[in-house]
Amino acid sequence: MPRSRSNSTFNFSQGIKKFFLSAFVVFAFVAYAIHERLTSSNGGLASASAAPASGSGQSASDPASNASASNSSAQQVPASNLSSSSQVSYKNGTYSGPDVNVFYGLVKVQATIQNGKLSSVQFLDYPSDRRTSQQINSIAMPYLQQEAIQAQSANVDIISGATLTSEGFQMSLQSALASAH
Amino acid sequence: MKQTRILMGMPVTLEVVDAGASEPLFDEVFDYFVYVDEKFSTYKNQSEISRINRGEIKFDDASEDMKMIFGLAEQTRQESNGYFDVHHNGIIDPSGIVKGWAIYNAAEILRKMGFVNFYVDAGGDIQASGKNDRGEKWRVGIRNPFNMDEIVKILSVTDCGVATSGTYVRGQHIYNPKNDGEDITEILSLTVIGPDVYEADRFATAAFAMGRAGIDFIEFLPGFEGYMIDKDKQATYTTGFARYVLNA
């Protein structure tokens, strides 16, 4: 009996030691991971997570460089795709989100609410400084362009335009043709 | 060989570059438009669509073509978040989808006859196939909505469809060919290039009804490009549009 008791006491103290040792190992790993995440400029594992505390990410904390990084032509997403999916009513206004790390750079969006519904989303900031970002953006981001219309030479085979004859005109033409028989 | 006739209340033009085109073959294609008009025109009292609207024909007893058009119209309504709708003031007017569908089918008739280089143009909506008589891609001009005698863009296209939905400015009055009296003031013209004229036409119609957001809708449609002209004579165009533009 005493022997078994001393045995169990020994096992107990050994168990406590094991617990603290493994707790220390887990803590050290977590601390190391946090340290890595805060100091790594690209945020390695931190894909699509907010990076407000990014130590070396100057562009995240400096609004001036933010402004220069964002393309002057803010891109718009059609509201038609977005508004239909949500039934929730929001307060009217314009809301900006935080800079979010999307693996290849930072993205910041602004949502506009009209009549309680999401009416448009603008990209205030998206990665355009690095070559890979530009490549990804050219595929993933809408890139509408604008120009003033200008008359061209009329050297064409076919012309596309809205149908000149309205349905009212069609009706009148048909009755005119009918009376011409 | 090239011919224009007024059918469905608009000019319909066929041009076939290949040898072997003849009057009887052109008649066959033009007759197809006549058939479509007889069946789908809401302005003809005895058309099938008019009889359906009066309740004389039940939908279950409608022709196969009619059922197909209703199916395509419903599909387009869903794909455009409801912006495309053939139901107006209690009657069904499928003309918004019938036109592109008819041009596509007419082009298919020519293709099945063995022709490769041709186009079918009905009221400014175009199915272009192969090359023109100079061996180049077809040159399609986009009409200036502010001046109908002018072209503001030249496209170079082959084996695809081009359709424009829009209004025209006459003096200070804006005139909507598709719906007189309706006020569309922000945008005047939206041209869509798509895999074929049926696809281009239905999405041009739907996107135009969205106003300024229409060009975003086209931007997000894979396989489609668009050129929108607004009331300030500014054009907005999609990412891949420039590759169709002929730099003359």
Side-chain angles (χ1 to χ4, degrees), chain B:
Chain B
M1 184 172 162
K2 181 175 169 181
Q3 258 191 25
T4 299
R5 294 185 198 172
I6 302 289
L7 298 163
M8 297 168 73
M10 61 192 172
V12 177
T13 303
L14 308 179
E15 179 171 352
V16 175
V17 174
D18 305 312
S22 66
E23 190 80 25
L25 293 182
F26 269 40
D27 282 346
E28 199 178 314
V29 181
F30 284 126
D31 284 350
Y32 179 72
F33 283 99
V34 175
Y35 157 81
V36 169
D37 197 27
E38 296 291 331
K39 192 176 272 293
F40 291 102
S41 173
T42 52
Y43 291 107
K44 291 185 190 297
N45 255 340
Q46 288 311 305
S47 70
E48 189 181 351
I49 189 68
S50 292
R51 298 186 63 198
I52 287 173
N53 275 324
R54 287 197 301 269
E56 293 168 19
I57 300 176
K58 289 204 172 67
F59 176 70
D60 287 343
D61 301 327
S63 63
E64 286 305 305
D65 275 353
M66 187 63 71
K67 285 178 180 165
M68 172 177 279
I69 283 295
F70 277 49
L72 295 173
E74 175 56 21
Q75 184 191 8
T76 305
R77 191 186 65 79
Q78 290 176 14
E79 288 171 357
S80 65
N81 299 323
Y83 277 97
F84 183 98
D85 202 339
V86 294
H87 298 83
H88 305 288
N89 305 323
I91 69 151
I92 298 166
D93 178 4
S95 59
I97 203 156
V98 163
K99 189 178 167 194
W101 177 79
I103 302 167
Y104 175 80
N105 288 335
E108 280 296 287
I109 295 173
L110 287 169
R111 198 178 60 78
K112 283 173 186 157
M113 288 172 177
F115 297 118
V116 176
N117 302 297
F118 61 84
Y119 72 80
V120 181
D121 165 18
D125 296 339
I126 299 148
Q127 177 72 40
S129 174
K131 306 281 176 66
N132 66 13
D133 57 1
R134 298 178 302 279
E136 306 161 340
K137 290 181 181 177
W138 292 101
R139 288 175 176 221
V140 177
I142 296 178
R143 194 188 297 281
N144 184 353
F146 295 90
N147 177 359
M148 290 192 276
D149 301 327
E150 229 171 59
I151 285 159
V152 292
K153 212 78 199 166
I154 303 175
L155 310 178
S156 177
V157 299
T158 184
D159 300 321
C160 68
V162 181
T164 299
S165 203
T167 59
Y168 287 101
V169 174
R170 286 177 177 169
Q172 290 304 306
H173 177 65
I174 293 172
Y175 156 83
N176 181 352
K178 291 211 172 152
N179 191 355
D180 256 337
E182 191 182 310
D183 220 19
I184 297 175
T185 51
E186 275 296 307
I187 69 170
L188 295 184
S189 168
L190 178 57
T191 300
V192 172
I193 306 170
D196 61 56
V197 67
Y198 163 70
E199 298 289 349
D201 183 44
R202 69 191 185 116
F203 284 123
T205 306
F208 188 75
M210 297 176 191
R212 280 195 185 276
I215 194 70
D216 296 295
F217 177 75
I218 300 298
E219 172 77 41
F220 278 83
L221 272 185
F224 292 80
E225 302 298 340
Y227 191 82
M228 178 184 84
I229 301 171
D230 67 21
K231 63 176 174 26
D232 302 318
K233 301 191 177 182
Q234 283 286 315
T236 308
Y237 53 98
T238 55
T239 312
F241 180 81
R243 72 170 178 270
Y244 293 101
V245 174
L246 190 72
N247 294 308

Side-chain angles (χ1 to χ4, degrees), chain A residues 50-75:
Chain A
S54 182
S56 60
Q58 302 95 328
S59 64
S61 49
D62 179 6
S65 80
N66 241 359
S68 64
S70 71
N71 265 11
S72 55
S73 60
Q75 305 300 315

